[in-house]
Amino acid sequence: MTTAQNMSGYVWSAVESAPVRELFPGIRLRPLWTGGNGASAQVVEMDPGACWEGVDVHEPGPEEVFVVSGVFNDGYRDYPAGSFIHAPAGSSHIPQTATGCTLFVFYPEG
């Protein structure tokens, strides 16, 4: 086994131990990491039938989403597990799911 020589600055998180914050009924956020420039990574868990209240606008920067499990819908189309979505800054959608889903969400610019 090869070992890493420089792991300075590495940060790790376990989803199970991340604090849970309910954003809307049936939609929970688990923060995993926040960078000094406002970047952040989190897991979003959505129960079957859950829907974001209002429109989710991506500001100041883009949103990167990977569908870990289930089927995510952005108000326009379904994205099954394994899908990657890049939503540019200024874009918007209404996150929802009929079946329930788990998402990895990354904001590179806050």
Side-chain angles (χ1 to χ4, degrees), residues 2 4 19 23-24 30 34-35 40 45-46 52 65 68 70-71 79 95 98 105 108 110:
T2 305
L23 298 175
F24 301 108
R30 291 178 180 262
T34 301
S40 64
E45 301 164 330
M46 299 178 71
W52 197 267
V65 177
V68 176
V71 179
Y79 300 91
V105 182

Side-chain angles (χ1 to χ4, degrees), residues 39-103:
S40 64
Q42 54 256 322
V43 167
V44 175
E45 301 164 330
M46 299 178 71
D47 293 339
C51 184
W52 197 267
E53 294 180 2
V55 177
D56 181 24
V57 179
H58 306 119
E59 293 177 342
E63 176 184 73
E64 314 290 348
V65 177
F66 180 76
V67 182
V68 176
S69 66
V71 179
F72 172 71
N73 183 288
D74 61 5
Y76 178 70
R77 62 170 287 179
D78 284 336
Y79 300 91
S83 298
F84 172 77
I85 307 150
H86 166 79
S91 66
S92 62
H93 63 158
I94 301 174
Q96 55 198 286
T97 180
T99 62
C101 63
T102 299
L103 312 171

Side-chain angles (χ1 to χ4, degrees), residues 2-7 10:
T2 305
T3 59
Q5 299 300 313
N6 182 0
M7 294 183 64
Y10 270 50

